[in-house]
Amino acid sequence: MTEPQGTETERRLTVFLVDDHAMFRAGVRAELGAHVEVVGEASSVAEAVSKIAAIEPDVVLLDVHMPDGGGRAVLDAMRRSHPHVKFLALSVSDAAEDVIGLIRAGARGYVTKTISPDELAAAIRRVADGDAVFSPRLAGFVLDAFASRPDVPVADPELDQLTNREREVLRLLARGYAYKEIAKELFISIKTVETHVSNVLRKLQMSNRYELSRWAADRRLV
């Protein structure tokens, strides 16, 4: 029987998934299986912090918005105690304040969920090697912020009133998504979308989606 060529196998990178949508985590796990070793997953900040500390993966794929705090909370809890673990944000959001906030908190990169499996695998390897990785249009946000340009908002008192989920709904609404499309994108029901929109209108004291769209565009959320 012939021995296979080469006796050493390159160590597969270990990756941990943090996202509050089980269906999305399952899809990422399946898509990345041929490229890396997915060693764990979590759906909440507390679960993520506990498991990442125990497993110590090479790279953590981190959702930005989750009900109990999201990626920023995970980074704040982990970056000092586990500086060798690299974090790559993977989110539906491509808003400037989300990108800048996660990078300032310690993430090594930020890509959107439209990325292909091969591109995501390549991004993970680059982050593990110490590079910074961004989806094409997001790099400009980071350059602007770290050049101390004032036209990239990082904090906004009005925006801070909104929950993470309300921001996601607002962003998609401002892009022209129908309620049904928002529900599908965020894995929630149409009724839940309607509730979030009503809450946003009330908090911002606006009367319709067109006012919300202009408000979001002024803050570069679209």
Side-chain angles (χ1 to χ4, degrees), residues 14-63:
T14 55
V15 174
F16 190 94
L17 310 178
V18 181
D19 194 287
D20 60 328
H21 296 121
M23 187 180 302
F24 180 77
R25 295 197 309 273
V28 172
R29 180 184 283 271
E31 295 285 6
L32 290 179
H35 303 281
V36 300
E37 182 181 358
V38 179
V39 293
E41 58 185 66
S43 61
S44 69
V45 171
E47 183 184 13
V49 169
S50 174
K51 289 185 176 180
I52 293 168
I55 296 172
E56 297 190 335
D58 295 313
V59 178
V60 176
L61 287 183
L62 192 61
D63 192 15

Side-chain angles (χ1 to χ4, degrees), residues 10 22 30 40 65 79 86 97 113 115 127 132 141 156 158 165 167 171 179 182 193 198:
E10 181 181 357
H65 297 304
R79 61 181 175 179
K86 306 294 197 308
E97 81 278 3
K113 290 181 177 179
I115 194 170
V127 165
F141 295 155
D156 185 315
E158 288 186 297
R165 182 63 83 197
R167 294 186 195 192
R171 190 171 295 117
Y179 285 4
I182 295 173
V193 173
S198 295

Side-chain angles (χ1 to χ4, degrees), residues 145-203:
F146 286 91
S148 299
R149 285 178 52 177
D151 58 342
V152 181
V154 177
D156 185 315
E158 288 186 297
L159 189 62
D160 288 344
Q161 299 178 72
L162 307 182
T163 67
N164 290 332
R165 182 63 83 197
E166 287 167 354
R167 294 186 195 192
E168 289 181 325
V169 170
L170 170 61
R171 190 171 295 117
L172 295 175
L173 190 72
R175 291 177 180 173
Y177 281 56
Y179 285 4
K180 182 178 180 180
E181 294 170 322
I182 295 173
K184 182 179 179 181
E185 182 79 14
L186 299 180
F187 300 96
I188 57 179
S189 70
I190 295 175
K191 182 66 175 177
T192 301
V193 173
E194 293 172 348
T195 299
H196 286 314
V197 172
S198 295
N199 289 340
V200 173
L201 287 169
R202 174 178 52 79
K203 289 179 179 181

Side-chain angles (χ1 to χ4, degrees), residues 78-101:
M78 300 298 302
R79 61 181 175 179
R80 290 186 177 87
S81 60
H82 294 76
H84 56 287
V85 177
K86 306 294 197 308
F87 291 84
L88 173 62
L90 176 62
S91 177
V92 68
S93 170
D94 59 1
E97 81 278 3
D98 286 335
V99 179
I100 296 164

